[in-house]
Amino acid sequence: MMSSPLADRIRPQSLDEVVGQKHILGSDKVLRRIVESGNIPNLIFYGPSGVGKTTVARIIAQAAGKKLFKLNGTTASTADIKDVVAECDTFGGMNGILLYLDEIQYLNKKQQQSLLEFIENGQVTLIASTTENPYFYVYNAILSRSTVFEFKPVDAQDIIPAVMRGFGEMEKELGCAISLEEGVAQHIAQSCGGDVRKAMNAVEMCTLAAPTNETGARVVTMEDALQVSQRSAMKYDRDGDAHYDILSALQKSVRGSDENAALHYLARLLEAGDLLSPCRRLLVMASEDVGLAYPSAVSIVKACVDSALQLGLPEARIPLAQAVILMCTAPKSNSAIVAIDAAMEDVKAGRTGDIPASLKDGHYAGAQKLGRALTYLYPHNYPNHWVAQQYLPDNLKNKVYYCFGENKTEQLAKSYRNSIRNEKGE
């Protein structure tokens, strides 16, 4: 009776029973209308594990009236795909075939290409699911013939009813009452990280391990729930989308001067045991987002990062938090990255030109005969260590890459520079 996991035993049988995903499965949403129309196109479901991708695909397949085949990208071979395609010419495939392909990202390009002809002419309807960004991992020709729907982690409030349903199902199967200590259902729903399957696994494990009281009821304690679900909320893969999404959120929070959000994303990285990635990103942000508005941030952040790497976790969290808060509360300027990117754009486009002869190396025999550095003016020999002369190539001599930011530090630098040039009639 309980040979399969609880999540499979109580898997929803209709779209109305699916937990979450109202943004695509609500009564007026596109995917819901597509399913109800009966005209199923090629679909790709993208999202984390345990949020309903497989469940929705099965519901669609059952309602499609087509012969259903299931393959998993981790184990499927080209021969398996050819066997499915061969069914198109059989009596059973006369109404079309629906192929549910789980973890499509694990199929290589050749395997994915073998499906093209058949999904294009409609003989095979493809419903594929993936936990990785399909725009990175799915062959472009498959993508262009499919509609992508993103499944999102399920909110804890939406998972609570599913948790209670799970405990109710366990009561029926075990034939005894289940008593929950206060907060158990809420904790399981919160700690599963939006993964309904993980929540159901926690429900099953807590119930099976629960002792019975004097009335014969199984008592699930908060301590049991804590042990079963420890660290389960972490959805993190250093090579996956979550890694880059969290780093992106960290940097954008610092750039937006929101220290609370930045600390949250830093904590997610550190709780997953990733120390190197936030260290590297913080070093970049010190120059890219704080930059010349507070030049000392570079050395302070570098010192914090060095301390973190020497300390290791968990102590590393302290200097890294210091670096994050410092940059969030510091004035911001992106003038440095804007300037270098503008210069790089010219170089990449071939807009370079010959270096002025006065700037070329003159420290070798024969340099003077070539006219190297003959007219160079040594700025330190002039008042204020500045003298007017051309530094850029002729075709770029009036080019401006760097624009002073509006912050106090850069405006002071601008005033100083202008005062020097004004003294020289500039």
Side-chain angles (χ1 to χ4, degrees), residues 288-312:
E288 180 179 348
D289 296 306
V290 176
L292 293 166
Y294 184 29
S296 297
V298 171
S299 57
I300 297 173
V301 171
K302 177 63 164 58
C304 288
V305 166
D306 287 345
S307 296
L309 293 174
Q310 289 181 346
L311 290 168

PDB file of all heavy atoms in Angstrom, residues 288-312:
ATOM      1  N   GLU A 288      32.497  48.316  -9.345  1.00  0.00           N
ATOM      2  CA  GLU A 288      31.451  48.501 -10.343  1.00  0.00           C
ATOM      3  C   GLU A 288      30.314  49.385  -9.844  1.00  0.00           C
ATOM      4  O   GLU A 288      29.775  50.188 -10.603  1.00  0.00           O
ATOM      5  CB  GLU A 288      30.880  47.141 -10.764  1.00  0.00           C
ATOM      6  CG  GLU A 288      29.782  47.234 -11.813  1.00  0.00           C
ATOM      7  CD  GLU A 288      29.249  45.883 -12.245  1.00  0.00           C
ATOM      8  OE1 GLU A 288      29.879  44.858 -11.916  1.00  0.00           O
ATOM      9  OE2 GLU A 288      28.202  45.848 -12.924  1.00  0.00           O
ATOM     10  N   ASP A 289      29.915  49.241  -8.582  1.00  0.00           N
ATOM     11  CA  ASP A 289      28.707  49.911  -8.102  1.00  0.00           C
ATOM     12  C   ASP A 289      28.969  51.021  -7.090  1.00  0.00           C
ATOM     13  O   ASP A 289      28.203  51.976  -7.026  1.00  0.00           O
ATOM     14  CB  ASP A 289      27.762  48.870  -7.492  1.00  0.00           C
ATOM     15  CG  ASP A 289      27.279  47.873  -8.521  1.00  0.00           C
ATOM     16  OD1 ASP A 289      26.741  48.315  -9.545  1.00  0.00           O
ATOM     17  OD2 ASP A 289      27.463  46.656  -8.325  1.00  0.00           O
ATOM     18  N   VAL A 290      30.028  50.893  -6.282  1.00  0.00           N
ATOM     19  CA  VAL A 290      30.399  51.981  -5.373  1.00  0.00           C
ATOM     20  C   VAL A 290      31.429  52.875  -6.064  1.00  0.00           C
ATOM     21  O   VAL A 290      31.266  54.088  -6.142  1.00  0.00           O
ATOM     22  CB  VAL A 290      30.957  51.425  -4.054  1.00  0.00           C
ATOM     23  CG1 VAL A 290      31.429  52.564  -3.149  1.00  0.00           C
ATOM     24  CG2 VAL A 290      29.890  50.600  -3.346  1.00  0.00           C
ATOM     25  N   GLY A 291      32.450  52.249  -6.557  1.00  0.00           N
ATOM     26  CA  GLY A 291      33.404  52.911  -7.437  1.00  0.00           C
ATOM     27  C   GLY A 291      34.012  54.187  -6.885  1.00  0.00           C
ATOM     28  O   GLY A 291      34.373  54.285  -5.713  1.00  0.00           O
ATOM     29  N   LEU A 292      34.061  55.197  -7.744  1.00  0.00           N
ATOM     30  CA  LEU A 292      34.760  56.432  -7.418  1.00  0.00           C
ATOM     31  C   LEU A 292      33.985  57.336  -6.470  1.00  0.00           C
ATOM     32  O   LEU A 292      34.510  58.350  -6.015  1.00  0.00           O
ATOM     33  CB  LEU A 292      35.081  57.189  -8.716  1.00  0.00           C
ATOM     34  CG  LEU A 292      36.101  56.472  -9.608  1.00  0.00           C
ATOM     35  CD1 LEU A 292      36.133  57.070 -10.998  1.00  0.00           C
ATOM     36  CD2 LEU A 292      37.485  56.533  -8.970  1.00  0.00           C
ATOM     37  N   ALA A 293      32.741  56.970  -6.157  1.00  0.00           N
ATOM     38  CA  ALA A 293      31.996  57.741  -5.167  1.00  0.00           C
ATOM     39  C   ALA A 293      32.582  57.537  -3.771  1.00  0.00           C
ATOM     40  O   ALA A 293      32.462  58.401  -2.900  1.00  0.00           O
ATOM     41  CB  ALA A 293      30.515  57.335  -5.178  1.00  0.00           C
ATOM     42  N   TYR A 294      33.203  56.385  -3.566  1.00  0.00           N
ATOM     43  CA  TYR A 294      33.850  56.065  -2.286  1.00  0.00           C
ATOM     44  C   TYR A 294      34.996  55.107  -2.588  1.00  0.00           C
ATOM     45  O   TYR A 294      34.912  53.912  -2.326  1.00  0.00           O
ATOM     46  CB  TYR A 294      32.832  55.443  -1.336  1.00  0.00           C
ATOM     47  CG  TYR A 294      33.343  55.142   0.054  1.00  0.00           C
ATOM     48  CD1 TYR A 294      34.359  55.902   0.631  1.00  0.00           C
ATOM     49  CD2 TYR A 294      32.798  54.090   0.787  1.00  0.00           C
ATOM     50  CE1 TYR A 294      34.819  55.626   1.906  1.00  0.00           C
ATOM     51  CE2 TYR A 294      33.253  53.807   2.077  1.00  0.00           C
ATOM     52  CZ  TYR A 294      34.256  54.572   2.622  1.00  0.00           C
ATOM     53  OH  TYR A 294      34.718  54.307   3.890  1.00  0.00           O
ATOM     54  N   PRO A 295      36.105  55.642  -3.131  1.00  0.00           N
ATOM     55  CA  PRO A 295      37.215  54.791  -3.587  1.00  0.00           C
ATOM     56  C   PRO A 295      37.784  53.872  -2.506  1.00  0.00           C
ATOM     57  O   PRO A 295      38.273  52.783  -2.807  1.00  0.00           O
ATOM     58  CB  PRO A 295      38.260  55.808  -4.059  1.00  0.00           C
ATOM     59  CG  PRO A 295      37.479  57.038  -4.376  1.00  0.00           C
ATOM     60  CD  PRO A 295      36.360  57.072  -3.375  1.00  0.00           C
ATOM     61  N   SER A 296      37.698  54.282  -1.248  1.00  0.00           N
ATOM     62  CA  SER A 296      38.254  53.457  -0.164  1.00  0.00           C
ATOM     63  C   SER A 296      37.502  52.148   0.009  1.00  0.00           C
ATOM     64  O   SER A 296      38.008  51.215   0.648  1.00  0.00           O
ATOM     65  CB  SER A 296      38.216  54.232   1.164  1.00  0.00           C
ATOM     66  OG  SER A 296      39.030  55.384   1.090  1.00  0.00           O
ATOM     67  N   ALA A 297      36.291  52.056  -0.556  1.00  0.00           N
ATOM     68  CA  ALA A 297      35.502  50.828  -0.426  1.00  0.00           C
ATOM     69  C   ALA A 297      36.261  49.633  -0.991  1.00  0.00           C
ATOM     70  O   ALA A 297      36.147  48.517  -0.480  1.00  0.00           O
ATOM     71  CB  ALA A 297      34.160  50.982  -1.128  1.00  0.00           C
ATOM     72  N   VAL A 298      37.048  49.866  -2.032  1.00  0.00           N
ATOM     73  CA  VAL A 298      37.795  48.763  -2.646  1.00  0.00           C
ATOM     74  C   VAL A 298      38.736  48.120  -1.638  1.00  0.00           C
ATOM     75  O   VAL A 298      38.770  46.893  -1.474  1.00  0.00           O
ATOM     76  CB  VAL A 298      38.576  49.255  -3.883  1.00  0.00           C
ATOM     77  CG1 VAL A 298      39.513  48.172  -4.383  1.00  0.00           C
ATOM     78  CG2 VAL A 298      37.616  49.663  -4.984  1.00  0.00           C
ATOM     79  N   SER A 299      39.511  48.931  -0.938  1.00  0.00           N
ATOM     80  CA  SER A 299      40.479  48.376   0.010  1.00  0.00           C
ATOM     81  C   SER A 299      39.790  47.790   1.242  1.00  0.00           C
ATOM     82  O   SER A 299      40.229  46.770   1.777  1.00  0.00           O
ATOM     83  CB  SER A 299      41.482  49.460   0.437  1.00  0.00           C
ATOM     84  OG  SER A 299      40.810  50.577   0.999  1.00  0.00           O
ATOM     85  N   ILE A 300      38.683  48.408   1.663  1.00  0.00           N
ATOM     86  CA  ILE A 300      37.968  47.885   2.834  1.00  0.00           C
ATOM     87  C   ILE A 300      37.322  46.537   2.511  1.00  0.00           C
ATOM     88  O   ILE A 300      37.424  45.574   3.280  1.00  0.00           O
ATOM     89  CB  ILE A 300      36.897  48.889   3.311  1.00  0.00           C
ATOM     90  CG1 ILE A 300      37.561  50.187   3.762  1.00  0.00           C
ATOM     91  CG2 ILE A 300      36.076  48.291   4.450  1.00  0.00           C
ATOM     92  CD1 ILE A 300      36.595  51.302   4.089  1.00  0.00           C
ATOM     93  N   VAL A 301      36.662  46.463   1.358  1.00  0.00           N
ATOM     94  CA  VAL A 301      36.024  45.214   0.949  1.00  0.00           C
ATOM     95  C   VAL A 301      37.073  44.126   0.741  1.00  0.00           C
ATOM     96  O   VAL A 301      36.875  42.968   1.121  1.00  0.00           O
ATOM     97  CB  VAL A 301      35.177  45.420  -0.323  1.00  0.00           C
ATOM     98  CG1 VAL A 301      34.702  44.090  -0.881  1.00  0.00           C
ATOM     99  CG2 VAL A 301      33.985  46.317  -0.017  1.00  0.00           C
ATOM    100  N   LYS A 302      38.211  44.498   0.152  1.00  0.00           N
ATOM    101  CA  LYS A 302      39.296  43.523  -0.041  1.00  0.00           C
ATOM    102  C   LYS A 302      39.772  42.985   1.308  1.00  0.00           C
ATOM    103  O   LYS A 302      40.012  41.772   1.466  1.00  0.00           O
ATOM    104  CB  LYS A 302      40.470  44.182  -0.777  1.00  0.00           C
ATOM    105  CG  LYS A 302      41.695  43.277  -0.965  1.00  0.00           C
ATOM    106  CD  LYS A 302      41.393  42.084  -1.829  1.00  0.00           C
ATOM    107  CE  LYS A 302      42.659  41.405  -2.338  1.00  0.00           C
ATOM    108  NZ  LYS A 302      43.571  40.952  -1.264  1.00  0.00           N
ATOM    109  N   ALA A 303      39.891  43.858   2.294  1.00  0.00           N
ATOM    110  CA  ALA A 303      40.311  43.414   3.617  1.00  0.00           C
ATOM    111  C   ALA A 303      39.271  42.488   4.243  1.00  0.00           C
ATOM    112  O   ALA A 303      39.614  41.476   4.870  1.00  0.00           O
ATOM    113  CB  ALA A 303      40.542  44.628   4.518  1.00  0.00           C
ATOM    114  N   CYS A 304      37.992  42.813   4.043  1.00  0.00           N
ATOM    115  CA  CYS A 304      36.928  41.953   4.571  1.00  0.00           C
ATOM    116  C   CYS A 304      36.943  40.578   3.905  1.00  0.00           C
ATOM    117  O   CYS A 304      36.773  39.547   4.563  1.00  0.00           O
ATOM    118  CB  CYS A 304      35.565  42.623   4.363  1.00  0.00           C
ATOM    119  SG  CYS A 304      35.268  44.042   5.436  1.00  0.00           S
ATOM    120  N   VAL A 305      37.129  40.566   2.599  1.00  0.00           N
ATOM    121  CA  VAL A 305      37.170  39.306   1.851  1.00  0.00           C
ATOM    122  C   VAL A 305      38.374  38.472   2.281  1.00  0.00           C
ATOM    123  O   VAL A 305      38.273  37.261   2.486  1.00  0.00           O
ATOM    124  CB  VAL A 305      37.197  39.577   0.337  1.00  0.00           C
ATOM    125  CG1 VAL A 305      37.585  38.324  -0.440  1.00  0.00           C
ATOM    126  CG2 VAL A 305      35.837  40.079  -0.132  1.00  0.00           C
ATOM    127  N   ASP A 306      39.530  39.116   2.420  1.00  0.00           N
ATOM    128  CA  ASP A 306      40.725  38.394   2.869  1.00  0.00           C
ATOM    129  C   ASP A 306      40.493  37.779   4.250  1.00  0.00           C
ATOM    130  O   ASP A 306      40.876  36.626   4.514  1.00  0.00           O
ATOM    131  CB  ASP A 306      41.931  39.331   2.910  1.00  0.00           C
ATOM    132  CG  ASP A 306      42.442  39.682   1.529  1.00  0.00           C
ATOM    133  OD1 ASP A 306      42.047  38.994   0.563  1.00  0.00           O
ATOM    134  OD2 ASP A 306      43.226  40.646   1.413  1.00  0.00           O
ATOM    135  N   SER A 307      39.878  38.537   5.129  1.00  0.00           N
ATOM    136  CA  SER A 307      39.583  38.021   6.473  1.00  0.00           C
ATOM    137  C   SER A 307      38.640  36.828   6.399  1.00  0.00           C
ATOM    138  O   SER A 307      38.843  35.818   7.093  1.00  0.00           O
ATOM    139  CB  SER A 307      38.953  39.130   7.329  1.00  0.00           C
ATOM    140  OG  SER A 307      39.851  40.184   7.536  1.00  0.00           O
ATOM    141  N   ALA A 308      37.620  36.947   5.556  1.00  0.00           N
ATOM    142  CA  ALA A 308      36.641  35.862   5.422  1.00  0.00           C
ATOM    143  C   ALA A 308      37.299  34.584   4.925  1.00  0.00           C
ATOM    144  O   ALA A 308      37.022  33.487   5.424  1.00  0.00           O
ATOM    145  CB  ALA A 308      35.511  36.295   4.484  1.00  0.00           C
ATOM    146  N   LEU A 309      38.165  34.712   3.939  1.00  0.00           N
ATOM    147  CA  LEU A 309      38.819  33.534   3.377  1.00  0.00           C
ATOM    148  C   LEU A 309      39.786  32.898   4.380  1.00  0.00           C
ATOM    149  O   LEU A 309      39.969  31.679   4.382  1.00  0.00           O
ATOM    150  CB  LEU A 309      39.545  33.911   2.091  1.00  0.00           C
ATOM    151  CG  LEU A 309      38.640  34.316   0.916  1.00  0.00           C
ATOM    152  CD1 LEU A 309      39.470  34.803  -0.260  1.00  0.00           C
ATOM    153  CD2 LEU A 309      37.752  33.157   0.489  1.00  0.00           C
ATOM    154  N   GLN A 310      40.393  33.713   5.214  1.00  0.00           N
ATOM    155  CA  GLN A 310      41.299  33.171   6.235  1.00  0.00           C
ATOM    156  C   GLN A 310      40.521  32.519   7.368  1.00  0.00           C
ATOM    157  O   GLN A 310      40.933  31.494   7.913  1.00  0.00           O
ATOM    158  CB  GLN A 310      42.197  34.281   6.791  1.00  0.00           C
ATOM    159  CG  GLN A 310      43.247  34.752   5.791  1.00  0.00           C
ATOM    160  CD  GLN A 310      44.149  35.830   6.374  1.00  0.00           C
ATOM    161  OE1 GLN A 310      43.855  36.404   7.413  1.00  0.00           O
ATOM    162  NE2 GLN A 310      45.248  36.110   5.701  1.00  0.00           N
ATOM    163  N   LEU A 311      39.383  33.116   7.706  1.00  0.00           N
ATOM    164  CA  LEU A 311      38.589  32.593   8.812  1.00  0.00           C
ATOM    165  C   LEU A 311      37.819  31.335   8.437  1.00  0.00           C
ATOM    166  O   LEU A 311      37.728  30.383   9.206  1.00  0.00           O
ATOM    167  CB  LEU A 311      37.595  33.661   9.294  1.00  0.00           C
ATOM    168  CG  LEU A 311      38.178  34.860  10.023  1.00  0.00           C
ATOM    169  CD1 LEU A 311      37.121  35.942  10.167  1.00  0.00           C
ATOM    170  CD2 LEU A 311      38.702  34.431  11.387  1.00  0.00           C
ATOM    171  N   GLY A 312      37.260  31.342   7.217  1.00  0.00           N
ATOM    172  CA  GLY A 312      36.376  30.250   6.820  1.00  0.00           C
ATOM    173  C   GLY A 312      35.034  30.378   7.512  1.00  0.00           C
ATOM    174  O   GLY A 312      34.853  31.187   8.428  1.00  0.00           O
TER     175      GLY A 312
END
